[in-house]
Amino acid sequence: MEKLFAEHDFDTVVHFAAESHVDRSILEPELFLTTNIVGTQTLLDAAMRHWKLSPDDKYSREYKPGVRYLQVSTDEVYGALGREGMFTETTPLSPNSPYSASKAGADLVVRAYHETYGLPVNITRCSNNYGPYQFPEKLIPLMIHNARKDRPLPVYGDGLQIRDWLHVRDHCAAIAAVLEKGEAGQVYNVGGNNEKANIEIIRLILKELGKPESLISYVKDRPGHDRRYAIDNTKITTLLGWRPEYTFEKGIRETIQWYLEHPEWVERITSGEYQRYYEKMYLN
Ligand code: TYD
């Protein structure tokens, strides 16, 4: 990081990188805390050193003009919802998995760098993303991949868990809006207004691919499985003028089409390590 910051005159950091899969965090929590919390601190320190007008003075709060650090976080830091309600930016953090705890920890470190050192930061908390190039450990690409190969589709528990789906392009537009117009120190929730039960999505994928529902296989539930996530978009839509453009119907059709048109990308990334993960996770 030091080398990169020295070589390039960065004025913005958008921290997308994370260990992001709940199931993997259940298998290897330490990896998640290290990558997601210590990784965030590493980036914050590098940005702060290169952006501060007096880099050696821990007490100075003066930065180069126009610099911004944006932490890409998740609605999972708020925990789970019942049938009613939505997450707002002031919902208390109540993470349930090692993954969401590591993201909540990172968010608090980002907040502390703003309060203590005056670093100009934002945190965005998005709902479940989908779209092209998503790794097939996540629900939508995993189900498309298995259905294409006529393999069982592993549905956790009763499949009635609800997620609020956000197209990756809408997510990126929201991040751009925060960088352009967001106020330093603020958190913005980003959701697609698309609440769907997992089983609904799985049935839709099977229908689009012309595959039988007999591929659905109910398996043991994920421990600590959050029942429902839903985001209240009011802050970002009213203050920054962003809103999601994709309907779920359009987004999911395009996404399925993308996976059908890019078999070589899927084959490449589902060989080797992915096979070992899949066997450990699903075949035991
Ligand atoms: P996932 O894509 O892992 O995202 P998250 O856990 O961050 O919401 O899972 C989305 C939902 O799909 C979640 O309720 C778990 C469920 N799921 C399955 O039922 N089977 C699977 O094989 C996977 C990966 C997820």
Side-chain angles (χ1 to χ4, degrees), residues 8-221:
H8 305 274
D9 191 18
F10 297 133
D11 58 8
T12 306
V13 170
V14 182
H15 185 13
F16 284 102
E19 289 287 348
S20 67
H21 193 46
V22 174
D23 295 325
R24 287 187 195 252
S25 83
I26 296 168
L27 303 176
E28 286 183 280
E30 187 184 344
L31 189 65
F32 278 66
L33 302 199
T34 307
T35 301
N36 295 353
I37 303 178
V38 181
T40 295
Q41 177 231 326
T42 304
L43 260 179
L44 285 165
D45 280 341
M48 193 163 73
R49 254 192 311 276
H50 287 271
W51 292 348
K52 241 187 194 185
L53 296 181
S54 329
D56 297 328
D57 179 1
K58 282 270 185 256
Y59 285 74
S60 118
R61 296 167 70 88
E62 305 273 321
Y63 291 85
K64 292 181 187 170
V67 295
R68 187 63 57 102
Y69 176 99
L70 190 150
Q71 179 78 1
V72 178
S73 186
T74 165
D75 58 359
E76 298 192 29
V77 297
Y78 298 122
L81 292 165
R83 275 172 205 279
E84 302 287 314
M86 288 184 147
F87 298 130
T88 71
E89 289 78 359
T90 55
T91 302
L93 303 192
S94 186
N96 291 321
S97 71
Y99 160 64
S100 51
S102 72
K103 291 296 286 183
D107 284 10
L108 295 180
V109 177
V110 173
R111 186 193 128 84
Y113 272 58
H114 177 70
E115 296 297 323
T116 302
Y117 305 117
L119 190 70
V121 305
N122 286 114
I123 298 172
T124 55
R125 296 191 178 129
C126 65
S127 55
N128 285 60
N129 278 222
Y130 72 103
Y133 292 106
Q134 189 172 32
F135 196 69
E137 62 188 2
K138 302 287 196 306
L139 178 77
I140 290 178
L142 188 135
M143 298 299 166
I144 298 172
H145 181 58
N146 283 16
R148 276 191 58 223
K149 303 227 155 186
D150 298 305
R151 291 193 190 134
L153 309 192
V155 180
Y156 299 161
D158 59 9
L160 297 178
Q161 301 83 4
I162 290 176
R163 299 291 184 265
D164 174 359
W165 294 92
L166 172 69
H167 194 276
V168 63
R169 286 189 182 279
D170 278 331
H171 184 193
C172 290
I175 288 168
V178 173
L179 288 175
E180 208 183 308
K181 296 179 250 172
E183 186 189 330
Q186 293 293 312
V187 176
Y188 297 92
N189 283 353
V190 185
N193 293 338
N194 267 313
E195 285 188 52
K196 303 268 179 234
N198 295 339
I199 193 71
E200 259 184 272
I201 295 181
I202 292 164
R203 291 210 169 101
L204 184 70
I205 291 171
L206 287 170
K207 190 159 165 248
E208 286 288 317
L209 290 172
K211 299 287 182 176
E213 292 206 359
S214 55
L215 286 178
I216 293 174
S217 159
Y218 288 92
V219 300
K220 198 168 164 194
D221 207 353

